[in-house]
């Protein structure tokens, strides 16, 4: 097994900016759905079930946000180091 397949990823370069915009838009939508105000008369949870699931969703959101924004930031800032 070799790393020659990585050169095939260059074909995706023209789609880099639309895919980045799609990823950032998805993060914005996810953040809005996690932190939006609660709807009165919405889902009823027993005990702290909603709190636990919401806390887990927030942790996963931040993990995915870092994994999405970090490569974009490196790509945009790389020209400062060359």
């Amino acid at each position: 097994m070799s790393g020659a397949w990585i050169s095939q990823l260059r074909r995706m370069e023209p789609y880099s900016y639309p895919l980045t915009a799609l990823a950032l838009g998805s993060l914005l939508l996810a953040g809005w759905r996690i932190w939006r105000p609660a709807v009165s008369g919405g889902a009823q949870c027993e005990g702290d079930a909603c709190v636990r699931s919401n806390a887990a969703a927030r942790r996963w959101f931040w993990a995915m946000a870092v994994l999405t924004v970090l490569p974009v930031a490196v790509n945009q800032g790389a020209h400062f180091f060359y």
Side-chain angles (χ1 to χ4, degrees):
M1 182 154 277
S2 69
W5 61 272
I6 291 178
S7 67
Q8 299 298 320
L9 291 177
R10 298 292 287 175
R11 293 182 184 175
M12 296 295 289
E13 189 173 4
Y15 306 110
S16 175
Y17 290 114
L19 290 174
T20 300
L22 180 66
L24 293 177
S26 298
L27 282 175
L28 288 173
L29 178 64
W32 178 77
R33 291 189 66 171
I34 290 172
W35 281 285
R36 69 180 173 195
V39 178
S40 61
Q44 301 295 323
C45 296
E46 297 177 16
D48 61 343
C50 286
V51 174
R52 281 195 316 259
S53 66
N54 199 15
R58 289 179 183 193
R59 280 193 300 271
W60 276 108
F61 171 79
W62 284 114
M64 293 303 107
V66 167
L67 290 175
T68 302
V69 172
L70 186 64
V72 172
V74 167
N75 188 24
Q76 295 299 320
H79 67 278
F80 292 120
F81 299 106
Y82 295 107

PDB file of all heavy atoms in Angstrom, residues 26-58:
ATOM      1  N   SER A  26     -22.690  24.363   8.186  1.00  0.00           N
ATOM      2  CA  SER A  26     -23.205  23.261   8.987  1.00  0.00           C
ATOM      3  C   SER A  26     -22.903  23.466  10.464  1.00  0.00           C
ATOM      4  O   SER A  26     -23.735  23.171  11.325  1.00  0.00           O
ATOM      5  CB  SER A  26     -22.606  21.935   8.520  1.00  0.00           C
ATOM      6  OG  SER A  26     -22.981  21.682   7.187  1.00  0.00           O
ATOM      7  N   LEU A  27     -21.707  23.987  10.759  1.00  0.00           N
ATOM      8  CA  LEU A  27     -21.376  24.284  12.150  1.00  0.00           C
ATOM      9  C   LEU A  27     -22.275  25.387  12.708  1.00  0.00           C
ATOM     10  O   LEU A  27     -22.709  25.316  13.867  1.00  0.00           O
ATOM     11  CB  LEU A  27     -19.914  24.695  12.276  1.00  0.00           C
ATOM     12  CG  LEU A  27     -18.894  23.575  12.233  1.00  0.00           C
ATOM     13  CD1 LEU A  27     -17.485  24.153  12.245  1.00  0.00           C
ATOM     14  CD2 LEU A  27     -19.073  22.620  13.394  1.00  0.00           C
ATOM     15  N   LEU A  28     -22.549  26.398  11.919  1.00  0.00           N
ATOM     16  CA  LEU A  28     -23.444  27.465  12.372  1.00  0.00           C
ATOM     17  C   LEU A  28     -24.846  26.926  12.654  1.00  0.00           C
ATOM     18  O   LEU A  28     -25.463  27.280  13.662  1.00  0.00           O
ATOM     19  CB  LEU A  28     -23.504  28.588  11.334  1.00  0.00           C
ATOM     20  CG  LEU A  28     -22.262  29.447  11.231  1.00  0.00           C
ATOM     21  CD1 LEU A  28     -22.380  30.417  10.057  1.00  0.00           C
ATOM     22  CD2 LEU A  28     -22.039  30.210  12.523  1.00  0.00           C
ATOM     23  N   LEU A  29     -25.358  26.090  11.770  1.00  0.00           N
ATOM     24  CA  LEU A  29     -26.678  25.503  11.978  1.00  0.00           C
ATOM     25  C   LEU A  29     -26.700  24.622  13.227  1.00  0.00           C
ATOM     26  O   LEU A  29     -27.626  24.693  14.036  1.00  0.00           O
ATOM     27  CB  LEU A  29     -27.095  24.687  10.755  1.00  0.00           C
ATOM     28  CG  LEU A  29     -28.446  23.977  10.863  1.00  0.00           C
ATOM     29  CD1 LEU A  29     -29.571  24.995  10.989  1.00  0.00           C
ATOM     30  CD2 LEU A  29     -28.664  23.079   9.664  1.00  0.00           C
ATOM     31  N   ALA A  30     -25.667  23.811  13.413  1.00  0.00           N
ATOM     32  CA  ALA A  30     -25.600  22.938  14.588  1.00  0.00           C
ATOM     33  C   ALA A  30     -25.516  23.775  15.861  1.00  0.00           C
ATOM     34  O   ALA A  30     -26.186  23.468  16.850  1.00  0.00           O
ATOM     35  CB  ALA A  30     -24.406  22.000  14.486  1.00  0.00           C
ATOM     36  N   GLY A  31     -24.702  24.819  15.851  1.00  0.00           N
ATOM     37  CA  GLY A  31     -24.599  25.687  17.020  1.00  0.00           C
ATOM     38  C   GLY A  31     -25.912  26.365  17.335  1.00  0.00           C
ATOM     39  O   GLY A  31     -26.309  26.478  18.497  1.00  0.00           O
ATOM     40  N   TRP A  32     -26.623  26.802  16.319  1.00  0.00           N
ATOM     41  CA  TRP A  32     -27.921  27.431  16.539  1.00  0.00           C
ATOM     42  C   TRP A  32     -28.909  26.432  17.136  1.00  0.00           C
ATOM     43  O   TRP A  32     -29.657  26.764  18.057  1.00  0.00           O
ATOM     44  CB  TRP A  32     -28.472  27.984  15.222  1.00  0.00           C
ATOM     45  CG  TRP A  32     -29.827  28.589  15.394  1.00  0.00           C
ATOM     46  CD1 TRP A  32     -30.121  29.812  15.929  1.00  0.00           C
ATOM     47  CD2 TRP A  32     -31.066  27.987  15.039  1.00  0.00           C
ATOM     48  NE1 TRP A  32     -31.467  29.999  15.924  1.00  0.00           N
ATOM     49  CE2 TRP A  32     -32.086  28.898  15.381  1.00  0.00           C
ATOM     50  CE3 TRP A  32     -31.419  26.772  14.469  1.00  0.00           C
ATOM     51  CZ2 TRP A  32     -33.423  28.629  15.171  1.00  0.00           C
ATOM     52  CZ3 TRP A  32     -32.754  26.515  14.249  1.00  0.00           C
ATOM     53  CH2 TRP A  32     -33.734  27.428  14.601  1.00  0.00           C
ATOM     54  N   ARG A  33     -28.895  25.201  16.650  1.00  0.00           N
ATOM     55  CA  ARG A  33     -29.825  24.198  17.175  1.00  0.00           C
ATOM     56  C   ARG A  33     -29.484  23.797  18.601  1.00  0.00           C
ATOM     57  O   ARG A  33     -30.367  23.432  19.369  1.00  0.00           O
ATOM     58  CB  ARG A  33     -29.834  22.974  16.273  1.00  0.00           C
ATOM     59  CG  ARG A  33     -30.475  23.288  14.920  1.00  0.00           C
ATOM     60  CD  ARG A  33     -30.685  22.081  14.120  1.00  0.00           C
ATOM     61  NE  ARG A  33     -31.681  21.245  14.813  1.00  0.00           N
ATOM     62  CZ  ARG A  33     -32.235  20.178  14.293  1.00  0.00           C
ATOM     63  NH1 ARG A  33     -31.882  19.794  13.099  1.00  0.00           N
ATOM     64  NH2 ARG A  33     -33.108  19.483  14.964  1.00  0.00           N
ATOM     65  N   ILE A  34     -28.205  23.856  18.975  1.00  0.00           N
ATOM     66  CA  ILE A  34     -27.814  23.479  20.334  1.00  0.00           C
ATOM     67  C   ILE A  34     -28.122  24.598  21.323  1.00  0.00           C
ATOM     68  O   ILE A  34     -28.630  24.353  22.412  1.00  0.00           O
ATOM     69  CB  ILE A  34     -26.319  23.111  20.386  1.00  0.00           C
ATOM     70  CG1 ILE A  34     -26.090  21.795  19.641  1.00  0.00           C
ATOM     71  CG2 ILE A  34     -25.839  22.978  21.827  1.00  0.00           C
ATOM     72  CD1 ILE A  34     -24.631  21.441  19.477  1.00  0.00           C
ATOM     73  N   TRP A  35     -27.826  25.845  20.964  1.00  0.00           N
ATOM     74  CA  TRP A  35     -27.951  26.955  21.908  1.00  0.00           C
ATOM     75  C   TRP A  35     -29.183  27.823  21.698  1.00  0.00           C
ATOM     76  O   TRP A  35     -29.296  28.871  22.327  1.00  0.00           O
ATOM     77  CB  TRP A  35     -26.700  27.823  21.850  1.00  0.00           C
ATOM     78  CG  TRP A  35     -25.575  27.220  22.613  1.00  0.00           C
ATOM     79  CD1 TRP A  35     -25.434  27.189  23.959  1.00  0.00           C
ATOM     80  CD2 TRP A  35     -24.441  26.554  22.075  1.00  0.00           C
ATOM     81  NE1 TRP A  35     -24.288  26.541  24.296  1.00  0.00           N
ATOM     82  CE2 TRP A  35     -23.647  26.137  23.169  1.00  0.00           C
ATOM     83  CE3 TRP A  35     -24.017  26.242  20.789  1.00  0.00           C
ATOM     84  CZ2 TRP A  35     -22.465  25.451  23.003  1.00  0.00           C
ATOM     85  CZ3 TRP A  35     -22.838  25.561  20.637  1.00  0.00           C
ATOM     86  CH2 TRP A  35     -22.070  25.171  21.732  1.00  0.00           C
ATOM     87  N   ARG A  36     -30.110  27.419  20.862  1.00  0.00           N
ATOM     88  CA  ARG A  36     -31.313  28.227  20.678  1.00  0.00           C
ATOM     89  C   ARG A  36     -32.150  28.186  21.953  1.00  0.00           C
ATOM     90  O   ARG A  36     -32.074  27.242  22.739  1.00  0.00           O
ATOM     91  CB  ARG A  36     -32.116  27.727  19.490  1.00  0.00           C
ATOM     92  CG  ARG A  36     -32.747  26.385  19.729  1.00  0.00           C
ATOM     93  CD  ARG A  36     -33.526  25.909  18.541  1.00  0.00           C
ATOM     94  NE  ARG A  36     -33.960  24.528  18.778  1.00  0.00           N
ATOM     95  CZ  ARG A  36     -34.394  23.744  17.856  1.00  0.00           C
ATOM     96  NH1 ARG A  36     -34.455  24.160  16.614  1.00  0.00           N
ATOM     97  NH2 ARG A  36     -34.769  22.524  18.147  1.00  0.00           N
ATOM     98  N   PRO A  37     -32.993  29.203  22.158  1.00  0.00           N
ATOM     99  CA  PRO A  37     -33.853  29.208  23.347  1.00  0.00           C
ATOM    100  C   PRO A  37     -34.840  28.043  23.299  1.00  0.00           C
ATOM    101  O   PRO A  37     -35.302  27.636  22.235  1.00  0.00           O
ATOM    102  CB  PRO A  37     -34.589  30.539  23.255  1.00  0.00           C
ATOM    103  CG  PRO A  37     -33.837  31.355  22.270  1.00  0.00           C
ATOM    104  CD  PRO A  37     -33.101  30.415  21.380  1.00  0.00           C
ATOM    105  N   ALA A  38     -35.140  27.533  24.472  1.00  0.00           N
ATOM    106  CA  ALA A  38     -36.081  26.415  24.561  1.00  0.00           C
ATOM    107  C   ALA A  38     -37.481  26.881  24.180  1.00  0.00           C
ATOM    108  O   ALA A  38     -37.897  27.999  24.496  1.00  0.00           O
ATOM    109  CB  ALA A  38     -36.088  25.855  25.975  1.00  0.00           C
ATOM    110  N   VAL A  39     -38.195  26.025  23.504  1.00  0.00           N
ATOM    111  CA  VAL A  39     -39.559  26.317  23.104  1.00  0.00           C
ATOM    112  C   VAL A  39     -40.478  25.955  24.265  1.00  0.00           C
ATOM    113  O   VAL A  39     -40.378  24.872  24.838  1.00  0.00           O
ATOM    114  CB  VAL A  39     -39.937  25.503  21.842  1.00  0.00           C
ATOM    115  CG1 VAL A  39     -41.377  25.755  21.449  1.00  0.00           C
ATOM    116  CG2 VAL A  39     -38.994  25.813  20.717  1.00  0.00           C
ATOM    117  N   SER A  40     -41.376  26.856  24.617  1.00  0.00           N
ATOM    118  CA  SER A  40     -42.300  26.541  25.703  1.00  0.00           C
ATOM    119  C   SER A  40     -43.264  25.455  25.236  1.00  0.00           C
ATOM    120  O   SER A  40     -43.757  25.472  24.106  1.00  0.00           O
ATOM    121  CB  SER A  40     -43.076  27.782  26.131  1.00  0.00           C
ATOM    122  OG  SER A  40     -43.838  28.264  25.053  1.00  0.00           O
ATOM    123  N   GLY A  41     -43.495  24.500  26.088  1.00  0.00           N
ATOM    124  CA  GLY A  41     -44.376  23.385  25.726  1.00  0.00           C
ATOM    125  C   GLY A  41     -43.683  22.367  24.850  1.00  0.00           C
ATOM    126  O   GLY A  41     -44.331  21.550  24.215  1.00  0.00           O
ATOM    127  N   GLY A  42     -42.362  22.400  24.808  1.00  0.00           N
ATOM    128  CA  GLY A  42     -41.606  21.467  23.972  1.00  0.00           C
ATOM    129  C   GLY A  42     -41.482  20.104  24.636  1.00  0.00           C
ATOM    130  O   GLY A  42     -42.300  19.713  25.468  1.00  0.00           O
ATOM    131  N   ALA A  43     -40.464  19.388  24.280  1.00  0.00           N
ATOM    132  CA  ALA A  43     -40.248  18.037  24.805  1.00  0.00           C
ATOM    133  C   ALA A  43     -40.032  18.083  26.311  1.00  0.00           C
ATOM    134  O   ALA A  43     -39.353  18.958  26.830  1.00  0.00           O
ATOM    135  CB  ALA A  43     -39.040  17.399  24.126  1.00  0.00           C
ATOM    136  N   GLN A  44     -40.625  17.144  26.982  1.00  0.00           N
ATOM    137  CA  GLN A  44     -40.477  17.037  28.430  1.00  0.00           C
ATOM    138  C   GLN A  44     -39.497  15.917  28.747  1.00  0.00           C
ATOM    139  O   GLN A  44     -39.610  14.827  28.220  1.00  0.00           O
ATOM    140  CB  GLN A  44     -41.834  16.738  29.082  1.00  0.00           C
ATOM    141  CG  GLN A  44     -42.883  17.799  28.798  1.00  0.00           C
ATOM    142  CD  GLN A  44     -42.514  19.141  29.409  1.00  0.00           C
ATOM    143  OE1 GLN A  44     -41.963  19.185  30.502  1.00  0.00           O
ATOM    144  NE2 GLN A  44     -42.796  20.217  28.711  1.00  0.00           N
ATOM    145  N   CYS A  45     -38.542  16.212  29.599  1.00  0.00           N
ATOM    146  CA  CYS A  45     -37.550  15.215  29.985  1.00  0.00           C
ATOM    147  C   CYS A  45     -37.722  14.888  31.461  1.00  0.00           C
ATOM    148  O   CYS A  45     -38.098  15.743  32.253  1.00  0.00           O
ATOM    149  CB  CYS A  45     -36.139  15.739  29.763  1.00  0.00           C
ATOM    150  SG  CYS A  45     -35.774  16.070  28.047  1.00  0.00           S
ATOM    151  N   GLU A  46     -37.410  13.669  31.792  1.00  0.00           N
ATOM    152  CA  GLU A  46     -37.462  13.258  33.185  1.00  0.00           C
ATOM    153  C   GLU A  46     -36.100  13.467  33.821  1.00  0.00           C
ATOM    154  O   GLU A  46     -35.077  13.066  33.267  1.00  0.00           O
ATOM    155  CB  GLU A  46     -37.860  11.790  33.283  1.00  0.00           C
ATOM    156  CG  GLU A  46     -39.246  11.501  32.747  1.00  0.00           C
ATOM    157  CD  GLU A  46     -39.577  10.021  32.799  1.00  0.00           C
ATOM    158  OE1 GLU A  46     -38.874   9.278  33.506  1.00  0.00           O
ATOM    159  OE2 GLU A  46     -40.524   9.626  32.131  1.00  0.00           O
ATOM    160  N   GLY A  47     -36.078  14.093  34.976  1.00  0.00           N
ATOM    161  CA  GLY A  47     -34.815  14.302  35.683  1.00  0.00           C
ATOM    162  C   GLY A  47     -33.890  15.224  34.903  1.00  0.00           C
ATOM    163  O   GLY A  47     -34.302  16.252  34.389  1.00  0.00           O
ATOM    164  N   ASP A  48     -32.644  14.812  34.820  1.00  0.00           N
ATOM    165  CA  ASP A  48     -31.655  15.639  34.120  1.00  0.00           C
ATOM    166  C   ASP A  48     -31.269  15.041  32.765  1.00  0.00           C
ATOM    167  O   ASP A  48     -30.169  15.259  32.283  1.00  0.00           O
ATOM    168  CB  ASP A  48     -30.425  15.833  34.995  1.00  0.00           C
ATOM    169  CG  ASP A  48     -29.724  14.529  35.340  1.00  0.00           C
ATOM    170  OD1 ASP A  48     -30.364  13.471  35.185  1.00  0.00           O
ATOM    171  OD2 ASP A  48     -28.553  14.582  35.738  1.00  0.00           O
ATOM    172  N   ALA A  49     -32.187  14.326  32.144  1.00  0.00           N
ATOM    173  CA  ALA A  49     -31.895  13.683  30.854  1.00  0.00           C
ATOM    174  C   ALA A  49     -31.580  14.719  29.778  1.00  0.00           C
ATOM    175  O   ALA A  49     -30.657  14.538  28.990  1.00  0.00           O
ATOM    176  CB  ALA A  49     -33.055  12.803  30.428  1.00  0.00           C
ATOM    177  N   CYS A  50     -32.338  15.806  29.735  1.00  0.00           N
ATOM    178  CA  CYS A  50     -32.084  16.840  28.723  1.00  0.00           C
ATOM    179  C   CYS A  50     -30.753  17.541  28.978  1.00  0.00           C
ATOM    180  O   CYS A  50     -30.037  17.874  28.047  1.00  0.00           O
ATOM    181  CB  CYS A  50     -33.203  17.871  28.715  1.00  0.00           C
ATOM    182  SG  CYS A  50     -34.728  17.281  27.986  1.00  0.00           S
ATOM    183  N   VAL A  51     -30.443  17.752  30.244  1.00  0.00           N
ATOM    184  CA  VAL A  51     -29.193  18.426  30.582  1.00  0.00           C
ATOM    185  C   VAL A  51     -28.010  17.566  30.156  1.00  0.00           C
ATOM    186  O   VAL A  51     -27.052  18.063  29.572  1.00  0.00           O
ATOM    187  CB  VAL A  51     -29.144  18.737  32.096  1.00  0.00           C
ATOM    188  CG1 VAL A  51     -27.790  19.309  32.481  1.00  0.00           C
ATOM    189  CG2 VAL A  51     -30.252  19.688  32.475  1.00  0.00           C
ATOM    190  N   ARG A  52     -28.063  16.271  30.429  1.00  0.00           N
ATOM    191  CA  ARG A  52     -26.961  15.382  30.054  1.00  0.00           C
ATOM    192  C   ARG A  52     -26.803  15.309  28.542  1.00  0.00           C
ATOM    193  O   ARG A  52     -25.694  15.371  28.028  1.00  0.00           O
ATOM    194  CB  ARG A  52     -27.190  13.977  30.621  1.00  0.00           C
ATOM    195  CG  ARG A  52     -26.853  13.846  32.070  1.00  0.00           C
ATOM    196  CD  ARG A  52     -26.755  12.378  32.466  1.00  0.00           C
ATOM    197  NE  ARG A  52     -27.830  11.571  31.932  1.00  0.00           N
ATOM    198  CZ  ARG A  52     -28.899  11.166  32.607  1.00  0.00           C
ATOM    199  NH1 ARG A  52     -29.044  11.507  33.862  1.00  0.00           N
ATOM    200  NH2 ARG A  52     -29.821  10.417  32.043  1.00  0.00           N
ATOM    201  N   SER A  53     -27.908  15.153  27.814  1.00  0.00           N
ATOM    202  CA  SER A  53     -27.798  15.039  26.359  1.00  0.00           C
ATOM    203  C   SER A  53     -27.339  16.349  25.743  1.00  0.00           C
ATOM    204  O   SER A  53     -26.580  16.353  24.776  1.00  0.00           O
ATOM    205  CB  SER A  53     -29.127  14.590  25.752  1.00  0.00           C
ATOM    206  OG  SER A  53     -30.111  15.585  25.944  1.00  0.00           O
ATOM    207  N   ASN A  54     -27.779  17.473  26.298  1.00  0.00           N
ATOM    208  CA  ASN A  54     -27.366  18.763  25.770  1.00  0.00           C
ATOM    209  C   ASN A  54     -25.884  19.009  26.056  1.00  0.00           C
ATOM    210  O   ASN A  54     -25.175  19.554  25.216  1.00  0.00           O
ATOM    211  CB  ASN A  54     -28.224  19.875  26.363  1.00  0.00           C
ATOM    212  CG  ASN A  54     -28.166  21.139  25.539  1.00  0.00           C
ATOM    213  OD1 ASN A  54     -27.721  21.116  24.404  1.00  0.00           O
ATOM    214  ND2 ASN A  54     -28.610  22.229  26.116  1.00  0.00           N
ATOM    215  N   ALA A  55     -25.423  18.603  27.221  1.00  0.00           N
ATOM    216  CA  ALA A  55     -23.996  18.773  27.545  1.00  0.00           C
ATOM    217  C   ALA A  55     -23.136  17.917  26.617  1.00  0.00           C
ATOM    218  O   ALA A  55     -22.092  18.365  26.145  1.00  0.00           O
ATOM    219  CB  ALA A  55     -23.738  18.407  29.001  1.00  0.00           C
ATOM    220  N   ALA A  56     -23.582  16.706  26.335  1.00  0.00           N
ATOM    221  CA  ALA A  56     -22.835  15.849  25.411  1.00  0.00           C
ATOM    222  C   ALA A  56     -22.837  16.445  24.011  1.00  0.00           C
ATOM    223  O   ALA A  56     -21.808  16.437  23.320  1.00  0.00           O
ATOM    224  CB  ALA A  56     -23.428  14.444  25.393  1.00  0.00           C
ATOM    225  N   ALA A  57     -23.965  16.988  23.587  1.00  0.00           N
ATOM    226  CA  ALA A  57     -24.047  17.609  22.258  1.00  0.00           C
ATOM    227  C   ALA A  57     -23.109  18.802  22.166  1.00  0.00           C
ATOM    228  O   ALA A  57     -22.454  19.004  21.132  1.00  0.00           O
ATOM    229  CB  ALA A  57     -25.477  18.037  21.964  1.00  0.00           C
ATOM    230  N   ARG A  58     -23.018  19.572  23.232  1.00  0.00           N
ATOM    231  CA  ARG A  58     -22.123  20.735  23.225  1.00  0.00           C
ATOM    232  C   ARG A  58     -20.659  20.318  23.171  1.00  0.00           C
ATOM    233  O   ARG A  58     -19.859  20.931  22.473  1.00  0.00           O
ATOM    234  CB  ARG A  58     -22.386  21.608  24.439  1.00  0.00           C
ATOM    235  CG  ARG A  58     -23.704  22.332  24.339  1.00  0.00           C
ATOM    236  CD  ARG A  58     -23.991  23.167  25.538  1.00  0.00           C
ATOM    237  NE  ARG A  58     -25.314  23.764  25.381  1.00  0.00           N
ATOM    238  CZ  ARG A  58     -25.782  24.728  26.125  1.00  0.00           C
ATOM    239  NH1 ARG A  58     -25.059  25.213  27.108  1.00  0.00           N
ATOM    240  NH2 ARG A  58     -26.994  25.207  25.902  1.00  0.00           N
TER     241      ARG A  58
END
